[in-house]
Amino acid sequence: MEKSPENKANKRREFIRSTARLTLAIGIGGVSGLALSKSTKEEWVWQIDPFECTQCGRCAEECVLTPSAVKCVHAFDLCGYCDLCGGYFKPGVIDLHTGAENQLCPTAAIKRDFIEEPFFEYTIDEDLCIGCGKCVKGCSAFGNGSLHLQIRHDLCLNCNQCTIARLCPSDAITRAPASKPYNFKGDFTKS
Amino acid sequence: MKKIFIYIIVVVLGLLILVIILGDFMSGEIKDKANNPYAYEFDEFKAVDPSMIKFKEARRIGLNIEGPKAIDVKNDLIAIAYKDHLQVIDSSGLERINMPIKGPLTAVSFSPEGALYLACQNYVLVLSPEGKTIDRWEDFGEKTLITAIAFKDTVTFLADAGNRQVIRLNTKGEILDSFDGTGRLDGNYGFILPSPYFDLEVDPDNQLWVVNSGLLKVENYTDDGAVRAFWGKPSFEIEGFTGCCNPAHIAIMEDGSFVTSEKGLTRIKVYKPSGELDCVVAAPDDFEGDSEPADIAVDENGKIYVLDITSGKIRIFERNII
Amino acid sequence: MKNNRIAIITFFSGLLISVVSFAQQRFPRPDFESDYLVPSPLAPEPRWASMEILDVVILLIVLVLTSWLAIKKRSRRGILYLSVFALIYFGFYRNGCICSIGGIQNVTLTLFNPAYAISLTALLFFVLPLIFALFMGRVFCASACPLGAIQELVILKPISIPSPVRKVLGLIPYLYLGLSILYAATNTDFIICRYDPFIGIFRMDASFEMLILGGSFLLLGMFVARPYCRFLCPYGVLLNWMSSFSKWHLSITPSECVDCKLCAHSCPVDAINKPVIEPVSNRKDINKFILSILILPVLVLIGGYIGSKSHIYLSRANTTVSLAELMITQPELKNDPDHIDVQTFLASGKTMETLLEEAAVIRSQFYYGGWILGGFLGLAFGLIFMGKTIYRNRKDYEPDKGNCVSCGRCMDYCPVGKPDFDEIMKQIK
């Protein structure tokens, strides 16, 4: 029985299989070991560098979410609280009244509140904002650039490869460590 | 029979999947996703009636140092303040002074005597015409950000954008007083400066003009800080100023005309002493897109020196001879 | 190269920021006389901030449970329930993203891109199913993979695909694996994620094209079981290798096969090998085997040559290469104010020379990548051909370990060990 040819063949087969298994195990171990030597405990999230962003409008169109997880964020510290806000009013408005025909935002997501003469506060309604960056362009051209686009992580699905990042013409979207998930403009006294 | 039906479905679906994946993949990366439906359009305001343009660009001087900030001109000399350099060249382009200065520099002015006054954020350096440091004036306050220097007799004016005030100094650099522009005619706002553009100039009649950029106006102040007159109206059209804070820079010619430089709609215009638009020097299309507002200076012959910060050039404009 | 570019961009933007910051960042806002408080922008935490560890734990539990259900408990029903759970949790709840299949690209990017480091959870997601496959078979496919689960649930009337067709279509995953590694290594794109047909269904939100793709796969899956797993999934290639040599794999029958043939048609993925009567090993077979070994290097070379020849075509998926090509072939686009990519490039101040240089570097990466990709495909093709020349003596119905996804249907069909059947057998004896 021990020396039957069938048994011999079985043993040989088992040996080949064990060797193959060991080789594969070494393969997995090698690749994952190499990756492990570089790996981080930290997760990655996608974020926009507002200084690279050129407001091409793709954030509104290319995100896998509708509406996009990119929203306009207001760095109040940088805002001039202007009456004639380049990010709020359409270019060329004559009377500064808040009628829809005067508003730049395609979804009327910017709220304008009177603070005191002659200052006005502008806040973004993120439920309405589609992340098109139109107001960002207006604010950067005529104002201080306090409005800027950021990826909102309560919405972002954190795709393995962000579609907008791939199509961003100015390579403004990169992976950021999850511990520093935002690139807000300005200096903030976090409360 | 039924099996054939299934086979047909399978083949059709398989082909459909193939077509979708390959179709998407082979269409290449950059395709017809070209135009931006959310573009911020103000091209109609960029267009300027050519008959309004009465200046032409006579010369360009390329700059060899990064980060130009401010310019002034006097007696054939051009002073350029960079982020951390001062350079003086003559009109032929020959370099007279090139010295590193611990910046960031924010403004430069020739005094009537030809000395160089340099603003470095919150202090002032006084240099001899040869570039030797004569004096250093400081301690103007914590938030100080000096954006312009002008001279009237023995008084030196500093535009302090950080504290939103104009500081008056004596010849030794001691503070005489300061005013915040609240002595206005209508309303009581003072200087509204949403961004650090705050220019002032003294005209040939020894009148001080301060740009209240947040209100889109140029205001004339008495010695004790009261508004005597102002001009300027908000408008996207060519006659007015627009945006949060314009004009960003002004210069005054020998005849009292104002030269203005704007941000957003980067245009250079000349206004008559009355504040009525005279003509256009350079239209927005003369500048690269998204340009920073250009600092400007005028010489005794009415030439306008435009410091094109974005492209790093001095562009000299001359009035067309009719 | 792209990294260099990013580094350079970051460096210059750093410079720029330091210039601009003075003007833009620090300028004090108005001094308000009223008691208005300046708000700070909200910074909501990432959605899954602490869930990644939980994901790994759940994956591990599912894998262990499936292994137990497939090998010890032999419960098709248990495996089915687990796969429903995986579909709901990893699919619909976690929206299909963190995924072992896509992990191939993260590992590749880590190995090739000095700027990127894989997160530990993503690495575990990549490695754990492979280790399990090496010992227990493809238990991951059975009930941990949401893509597998959604296809498993729509199997309606699976048809058997003829072996030659299967073999040819089975080469697609090798191509897909090679391409996805090539594109991840060159930092071009993650194509596995891009063409994931079910992610849109998991998210309940996708482009029209992608919804059609997902729908087609599900419809197709009614008649061709697990079409994505068998004819596309690149991770399936790796799992196939592992599982082929797995130590303990589920068996159709709990003890001795009685050759009842009941299981033969139970397998929806054609992964049951029928018994083979020992073939007489003749001269012709040996010649074929030797030929297949000799032809292997030739196939690798031919594949590599074809791969390298198609590098220009392959590199077009890279945005830098694509832009450079566009600028050369359609220079008139420079005057098109509406073309975002061209205008952004022109406004960026980068010279045409730099762009072309970058594109050339990426292209050369694709040239060498093309050789490797083609060679790999040639090798895969050759090995499959070689496998056809080897006959193995097989007495019973056995699972084809490489292709078996451990769904456990066959175990249900096997009468051995069922009380009624044992009773009858006893009586016969």
Side-chain angles (χ1 to χ4, degrees), chain B residues 38-294:
Chain B
Y38 305 104
Y40 184 84
E41 298 285 356
F42 58 110
D43 286 355
E44 50 174 315
F45 302 102
K46 283 187 179 170
V48 173
D49 178 5
S51 67
M52 297 282 294
I53 302 174
K54 293 187 180 155
F55 277 75
K56 65 169 193 297
E57 192 173 340
R59 254 180 77 201
R60 282 186 186 200
I61 303 173
L63 300 175
N64 51 10
I65 305 177
E66 288 281 307
K69 293 302 244 183
I71 187 171
D72 200 18
V73 180
K74 187 173 184 68
N75 298 338
D76 199 41
L77 289 178
I78 308 167
I80 309 120
Y82 297 88
K83 201 180 77 181
D84 47 13
H85 268 86
L86 171 70
Q87 191 181 32
V88 177
I89 55 180
D90 64 23
S91 60
S92 65
L94 190 74
E95 187 172 272
R96 299 288 186 85
I97 299 176
N98 180 355
M99 52 193 285
I101 287 171
K102 197 161 165 274
L105 299 187
T106 46
V108 60
S109 278
F110 283 106
S111 75
E113 295 77 36
L116 275 161
Y117 284 66
L118 270 175
C120 310
Q121 199 162 342
N122 57 3
Y123 64 92
V124 175
L125 278 183
V126 185
L127 306 180
S128 71
E130 294 76 38
K132 293 214 174 63
T133 306
I134 300 171
D135 210 345
R136 182 188 165 108
W137 301 342
E138 48 199 347
D139 299 328
F140 296 114
E142 205 182 307
K143 291 197 297 185
T144 301
L145 169 57
I146 301 160
T147 50
I149 306 170
F151 308 93
K152 173 183 176 179
D153 305 328
T154 59
V155 177
T156 305
F157 295 99
L158 302 182
D160 175 2
N163 295 303
R164 297 181 168 82
Q165 59 178 359
V166 174
I167 303 173
R168 288 165 19 105
L169 305 172
N170 66 14
T171 46
K172 291 178 188 144
E174 292 157 350
I175 298 176
L176 297 170
D177 57 9
S178 64
F179 59 92
D180 60 5
T182 44
R184 281 187 51 86
L185 297 175
D186 53 339
N188 219 10
Y189 301 154
F191 297 122
I192 305 295
L193 306 174
S195 64
Y197 295 105
F198 188 34
D199 206 353
L200 51 74
E201 287 287 337
V202 173
D203 74 8
D205 296 332
N206 255 356
Q207 297 290 326
L208 173 68
W209 292 88
V210 183
V211 180
N212 198 342
S213 61
L215 298 180
L216 308 171
K217 286 182 167 57
V218 182
E219 299 173 334
N220 172 216
Y221 281 86
T222 60
D223 281 353
D224 49 356
V227 178
R228 185 185 287 130
F230 66 89
W231 62 271
K233 64 165 190 173
S235 168
F236 256 86
E237 305 296 334
I238 194 75
E239 307 84 46
F241 301 118
T242 188
C244 73
C245 23
N246 270 319
H249 299 286
I250 58 167
I252 301 180
M253 295 179 137
E254 293 282 288
D255 65 351
S257 296
F258 298 90
V259 185
T260 63
S261 165
E262 288 167 73
K263 73 178 267 190
L265 276 171
T266 42
R267 47 194 185 190
I268 315 277
K269 296 180 289 192
V270 177
Y271 285 84
K272 290 175 184 164
S274 61
E276 187 195 340
L277 179 68
D278 179 3
C279 66
V280 177
V281 179
D285 288 339
D286 291 332
F287 295 91
E288 286 171 25
D290 299 333
S291 281
E292 277 189 66

Side-chain angles (χ1 to χ4, degrees), chain C residues 61-72:
Chain C
I61 292 173
V62 169
L63 288 174
V64 169
L65 264 181
T66 316
S67 306
W68 178 71
L69 287 168
I71 296 165
K72 270 264 140 66

